[in-house]
Amino acid sequence: MAMVAARAGVSGQTVSRVVNDSPRVDPATRERVEEAMAELGYRPHRAARALRTGRSETLGVVAQTLATVGNSALLQAVAEAAEARGYALAVVTLGSAGRIAEAFDRLHDQGVDGAIVLNEASVLARDADPAGLALVVVDAPADPRFAVIGTDHAAGARAATAHLLDRGATTVHHLAGPEGSFAAAERERGWREELAARGLRIPDPLRGDWSAGSGHDRGGVLAADPTVTAVFAANDQMALGLLRALADAGRAVPEDVAVLGFDDIADAAEFRPPLSTIRQDFAALGELAVRLVVDRVEGRDAPDPALLAPALLAPALIRRASA
């Protein structure tokens, strides 16, 4: 740092302000210091900074698995938002054992400043003590110990069901997500509420595990039932398997059966036919999660009664050829 200061003709304190992105630096001076840093190959030492500031500038992420498209998309969004704020990530996956208390212990051992719990893992956060860890949980009921954010899954499911009914279906069948998933339960709730509000029959849902394979397996049952004319799948991957099952059974989409998914994954428009779906804004969700946890870490989380309730982002109906 002393060498950078000498090269730029400034004080060491000015270099420190540039390194810590302080607004109290003249733009021309900042540019001169950054040029000196580049010329000398100077990089801030993360461990030394942690000793000085008491923060590691690392956030933890807890996920049940990264095999699902939704979790991977959200992790990517979190990683981009964290990098933009100068934070690194430490990722812990729970697997089938699902011991979130151990995950929190591991993150404490790694000295993370705060953590974000993703999707399916959120149901476990209610049963574990974060032990003072600044925490944001995605897709969970309200909890006074941490901030909760998510997509308004129930509203998205109601929009999906309403769209299928407005196309002329007499009822809508549901290919549901796994038990124990908050998002799956909320999507099922929205589907049920829309059918009930119209006084329509609510068929028994078939339950998958988010994978295309489970969508194909359960989809075979739906394809064999001639009364099935519209299906709301709880995610796009299961909808993909369902489309194959319908094709195998010789049933045309959307002429015989309309299909609508949830998530709007990157390849949804490339399905055959292109998949109508409910779009989650993963980028906005990741940005909000990181902003809230960093605000807590850096002491900017002013008490706000509104944050005691989950902050829900509105999804959007995307119309394509499948429904």
Side-chain angles (χ1 to χ4, degrees):
M1 187 175 287
M3 293 170 65
V4 170
R7 174 70 65 93
V10 299
S11 67
Q13 187 177 37
T14 298
V15 176
S16 179
R17 286 174 180 159
V18 171
V19 168
N20 290 291
D21 202 27
S22 169
R24 297 167 54 198
V25 181
D26 176 76
T29 302
R30 181 185 299 277
E31 183 178 355
R32 197 163 69 248
V33 170
E34 289 174 345
E35 288 176 356
M37 290 167 63
E39 291 169 2
L40 294 170
Y42 171 81
R43 292 180 178 84
H45 194 283
R46 186 175 293 272
R49 182 185 293 179
L51 288 173
R52 185 177 70 254
T53 65
R55 296 200 301 266
S56 66
E57 296 183 340
T58 300
L59 302 177
V61 176
V62 181
Q64 188 81 49
T65 176
L66 295 179
T68 62
V69 175
N71 281 1
S72 296
L74 186 50
L75 177 61
Q76 177 68 28
V78 167
E80 291 174 358
E83 183 175 351
R85 287 169 171 77
Y87 279 76
L89 291 186
V91 180
V92 177
T93 55
L94 301 177
S96 58
R99 292 187 286 267
I100 198 166
E102 293 181 8
F104 287 154
D105 288 343
R106 288 173 61 187
L107 292 176
H108 272 297
D109 290 344
Q110 294 181 59
V112 302
D113 296 325
I116 299 167
V117 179
L118 305 186
N119 302 336
E120 287 84 358
S122 68
V123 71
L124 303 173
R126 292 175 291 178
D127 303 321
D129 182 5
L133 195 65
L135 198 62
V136 172
V137 178
V138 181
D139 287 340
D143 193 302
R145 297 172 300 160
F146 42 73
V148 176
I149 65 169
T151 297
D152 194 339
H153 301 284
R158 289 199 69 157
T161 307
H163 176 69
L164 292 168
L165 293 171
D166 291 344
R167 292 183 77 258
T170 56
T171 191
V172 175
H173 288 71
H174 185 39
L175 183 50
E179 290 196 74
S181 165
F182 179 83
E186 287 294 287
R187 293 172 195 180
E188 183 175 337
R189 177 171 70 85
W191 162 73
R192 289 182 181 276
E193 287 179 351
E194 185 61 28
L195 291 178
R198 300 192 186 207
L200 299 176
R201 177 177 66 91
I202 302 176
D204 292 334
L206 295 179
R207 198 168 300 283
D209 63 6
W210 298 130
S211 70
S214 71
H216 180 261
D217 290 343
R218 284 33 163 209
V221 177
L222 294 167
D225 184 348
T227 68
V228 174
T229 61
V231 182
F232 165 48
N235 79 334
D236 291 347
Q237 289 297 109
M238 291 195 298
L240 173 61
L242 171 62
L243 290 175
R244 180 187 161 205
L246 291 167
D248 290 346
R251 302 195 70 186
V253 177
E255 293 81 5
D256 299 328
V257 183
V259 175
L260 200 148
F262 203 111
D263 287 336
D264 194 28
I265 63 175
D267 296 330
E270 309 306 322
F271 291 2
R272 179 176 291 181
L275 183 66
S276 295
T277 186
I278 300 296
R279 174 179 292 164
Q280 288 200 78
D281 192 340
F282 289 112
L285 203 58
E287 168 65 28
L288 178 59
V290 171
R291 176 169 62 80
L292 288 178
V293 76
V294 169
D295 281 352
R296 290 188 164 205
V297 166
E298 298 181 356
R300 292 192 298 271
D301 60 334
D304 184 352
L307 289 181
L308 295 178
L312 299 181
L313 303 185
L317 173 64
I318 306 300
R319 297 178 177 86
R320 298 193 181 102
S322 71

